[in-house]
Amino acid sequence: IYHNTRIMSQQDEIICHCNEITRGEIEKAIREKGLKTVDEVGEATDAGTVCGSCQDEIQAILDEING
């Protein structure tokens, strides 16, 4: 049960503070749309499109999911 709670809290983590986009929203878009780049994630979710400071974190999520 604790493990699932931890996973859920990670899903709620705000990655893009400018647009208030969560890790869960980004992961869902990557998986459902087959996104491969930070730019594609930005087009799909608006994450990383304002100040750009979260783009490294978006890339890390892409690497995690796409290998």
Side-chain angles (χ1 to χ4, degrees):
I1 294 172
Y2 173 75
H3 183 70
N4 288 342
T5 305
R6 190 165 162 240
I7 290 170
M8 287 311 295
S9 66
Q10 286 180 337
Q11 296 301 300
D12 292 337
E13 176 191 359
I14 301 282
I15 301 298
C16 175
H17 290 274
C18 295
N19 291 319
E20 296 188 355
I21 309 296
T22 64
R23 171 180 287 275
E25 291 173 87
I26 293 169
E27 289 182 357
K28 183 174 185 228
I30 292 168
R31 288 193 175 100
E32 287 183 355
K33 301 177 181 186
L35 306 179
K36 303 288 183 206
T37 68
V38 172
D39 285 341
E40 288 174 345
V41 172
E43 289 170 19
T45 67
D46 284 336
T49 61
V50 179
C51 81
S53 69
C54 62
Q55 290 182 351
D56 287 345
E57 203 162 353
I58 294 169
Q59 184 62 58
I61 295 169
L62 280 161
D63 293 345
E64 226 173 82
I65 292 173
N66 293 327

